[in-house]
Amino acid sequence: MNVSLRGFGREDLPAYAEALRSVYAEAFCAPPWNEAAEKAGEFARRLRDDVRRPGFTGVLAFTGEAGEAGEAGETRETGQTGETELVGFATAWTTGAPFPTDRCHPQAAAGLGPGRAHEWLVGSREVDELAVRPAAHGTGLAGDLLKAVTEDAPDGRAWLLTSVRSARAMAFYRRQGWAQATHPSPGGAGIAVFLGPAHPARALVPLPL
């Protein structure tokens, strides 16, 4: 699969909103995530605010050659034209202070403890979403997207949350050199914090029991 990556920001969102929603639905509204279909729409609406977050970084992955801003109008409207299709994306931003209390952040703080959550994660590059269409699984695209949104993280400080429900996701981040910093029950419930390969605290993470 011939894939090209390009960054995106607030000005690109109207052109790619529907394609991003479609990729999200294919990635997360199926096993093992099994999110309800309306979650894809919620993601698309949430992204309108997320692109305004401090330090926002977004990367799109296209088959073929993606059009530049202002070019290839049909590509920018639908995410697909001819053989060019949006097949994946990643988003990240800078974790603010105080440490967030929305979404799954309280579980991260509970697992690390408030002190470590602040010291290790505030000011770091937080990967929020990473999604690829099933047709692109096994191509290395997910790893490329992960690297693209974290390779310039300040002092290598990058982190993310994922659910232990997905053994595939957990194994993927380990293969990419990320260190699991919290170890919730293996029974399938709970959120795990991962630190990036260059995060200065990765050597301090606790080992699983």
Side-chain angles (χ1 to χ4, degrees), residues 71-87:
E71 299 178 0
E74 188 178 352
T75 299
R76 292 181 56 77
E77 291 175 3
T78 67
Q80 181 174 359
T81 182
E83 295 183 354
T84 301
E85 179 186 12
L86 183 68
V87 291

Side-chain angles (χ1 to χ4, degrees), residues 5 11 17-18 36-37 40 44 57 61 70 74 80 88 96 101 106 117 120-121 147-148 156 168 177 183 185 196 200:
L5 304 182
E11 68 282 359
E18 176 55 29
T57 301
E74 188 178 352
Q80 181 174 359
T101 58
W120 292 3
L121 307 184
K147 181 178 179 180
R168 178 173 182 165
H183 298 274
S185 166

Side-chain angles (χ1 to χ4, degrees), residues 83-106:
E83 295 183 354
T84 301
E85 179 186 12
L86 183 68
V87 291
F89 68 88
T91 58
W93 50 69
T94 303
T95 304
F99 189 70
T101 58
D102 61 336
R103 303 176 69 190
C104 294
H105 291 98

Side-chain angles (χ1 to χ4, degrees), residues 28-122:
F28 296 117
C29 297
W33 307 107
N34 296 313
E35 292 190 4
E38 56 266 26
K39 289 293 186 180
E42 291 176 12
F43 159 73
R45 291 188 291 273
R46 174 165 52 85
L47 193 57
R48 293 197 295 263
D49 294 325
D50 290 344
V51 295
R52 294 177 170 83
R53 289 176 180 262
F56 177 83
T57 301
V59 176
L60 305 175
F62 296 88
T63 57
E65 295 296 327
E68 296 297 330
E71 299 178 0
E74 188 178 352
T75 299
R76 292 181 56 77
E77 291 175 3
T78 67
Q80 181 174 359
T81 182
E83 295 183 354
T84 301
E85 179 186 12
L86 183 68
V87 291
F89 68 88
T91 58
W93 50 69
T94 303
T95 304
F99 189 70
T101 58
D102 61 336
R103 303 176 69 190
C104 294
H105 291 98
Q107 290 173 264
L112 289 172
R116 282 182 168 178
H118 179 85
E119 181 181 353
W120 292 3
L121 307 184
V122 168

Side-chain angles (χ1 to χ4, degrees), residues 146-203:
L146 181 62
K147 181 178 179 180
V149 294
T150 59
E151 61 185 350
D152 65 342
D155 299 320
R157 291 165 54 89
W159 74 282
L160 57 84
L161 292 166
T162 194
S163 171
V164 298
R165 289 181 301 164
S166 176
R168 178 173 182 165
M170 300 282 284
F172 164 74
Y173 291 119
R174 293 188 187 106
R175 289 197 305 272
Q176 300 302 312
W178 288 58
Q180 185 178 348
T182 62
H183 298 274
S185 166
I191 296 296
V193 174
F194 277 80
L195 303 182
H199 197 296
R202 61 173 289 116

